[in-house]
Structures are given as C-alpha cells and as structure tokens.
Amino acid sequence: MFYEIHPQSQTFGTKIYCPGYQLIDNDEYTKEMSMYLLELAIGQTDYEAYISSVEPLTAPLADTKDFCPLVDFYSLIQETIEKEKWKEYTSPLDIYSIYEPNQDFAHDSLRKDMKIIFTTHPMLVEETLGEKNDVLLDLKAKEGEYGYVYYANPFSGKDNALFRQELSRQLDETLSRLNLGKVIGGAMGKSFSYIDWIVFDPEGFEKAFEQIKKQLDPKVELHYVTFHEFMN
C-alpha cells in the first residue's frame, strides 16, 4: 500500500494496490474491499482516528518512496504517533467530529438552536439532522437507544461550554461505570445545551438518571429525551 502523511490533521491518506482489482469492474467494490482490508489490518480505532482517505489501485505507483506492506502498516502508524506526538485514542468512542449546522439560529426550540455539535457517531448526527432514523431503529432492534440530556443554558458565553463539559464528564463517569450508557457527544445551542448518549439499558438508565438529578444543583434542571421520541 502507498501512503501520504498529513501532519496538520494527524492522518494518513492511503492507496491500496491489489493486482486482482483489475478483474473487478465496479469501482465501489474495490474501494469497499480496500477499506475492509485496511480496517482489518490496523483495527477500527486506528482506522477511524488516523485514516483520511482510502483509494484502490489497479497498478502500483511509480514512486515507491512512501510504500508499506499492509501487514506492517499498523506498526508504521504507531511509530509515527510516537515520533510526532500525535493524539492517541483508546477506542472509537474517544474520536470526536465537529459539525456546525447550516440553519437559522433564531430558533429557540430543542435541537433547532444548535450552533456547534461534537460527536463520536457522525452517522447519527447526519441522519437525525436529515430526519432519518435507520441508525435509531437498528439500535432499538438490539434493545438499546440513542438519546440526549438537555437543559437551559445557565450562563452566557464560554461559561456554558465549560459547565456542559464538566457535567458531561460527571454523568459519563457515573452511568458508564454502571454499564447503563456512554456519552457519545453533545452540542451547544442558543438556548439549550445537550449531552448525547448511547444507552445500553434504557430502563436502568432512566432510573439512575432520576436519582442523579436529585443530587445536582437545583438551578439546573436536566431532562432526558430519546432521539426516537424527538423525531416522532
């Protein structure tokens, strides 16, 4: 495989060469195969954290300076991370993407006032913004759910962001320790702040959440809504 290092984004652009690709007419199939082989070789976490692009090649590039056998690419990534002091991740749930919704911020209603979104689950954000529910239904079939905690912003300016960050950390530590759910992102809005969740045990989560709310500062009133409820 051939690669290019992008220091600013701390990622690799990759091109996977396989002679057998010449026998496949559909470019989408060769790309999907390349993505599958690369993730198999380096693991899901490194794939999501450090790969910016994957392209299939039916012939090797003339310049083989930045070439690495696929089986050795994981070691190359680790060496680069250590040498260049790149950010490290322990799981895909540590990897956040940032979104700035293209909408009218005059909105004050739930999930319509969002100015910035950060998430470990881009597909969930894209589908819910587009009012689709395939991801929601898939998890519901597995007896889990996606939801969000929201509250009215108690401060102005950056104090809201700092408060949301600390509250998210505290809730995540408590509920993930009980194996009830995990924070997967959140958002800052004009009127509200949000903490997004993947919930493994909906009934247990809501019971624990009700108990946690009683221990919080009474001036902050937390609410929990499933994305399925919100979209319906």
Side-chain angles (χ1 to χ4, degrees), residues 8-9 20 22 47-48 52 55 59 61-62 69 80 88 94 98 123 143 146 155 165 167 196 211-213 216 226:
Q8 186 172 358
S9 61
Q22 297 181 55
Y47 180 86
E48 295 189 13
S52 60
E55 296 180 31
L61 298 177
T80 304
E88 297 186 58
D94 294 332
I98 307 297
M123 188 176 293
E143 300 185 353
Y146 294 107
F155 307 110
Q165 184 179 46
L167 178 61
D196 296 346
Q211 292 300 315
I212 291 171
K213 286 201 301 184
L216 295 176
T226 70

Side-chain angles (χ1 to χ4, degrees), residues 7 27 37 55 72 143 172 232:
D27 292 340
L37 290 173
E55 296 180 31
D72 296 329
E143 300 185 353
D172 190 37
N232 290 329

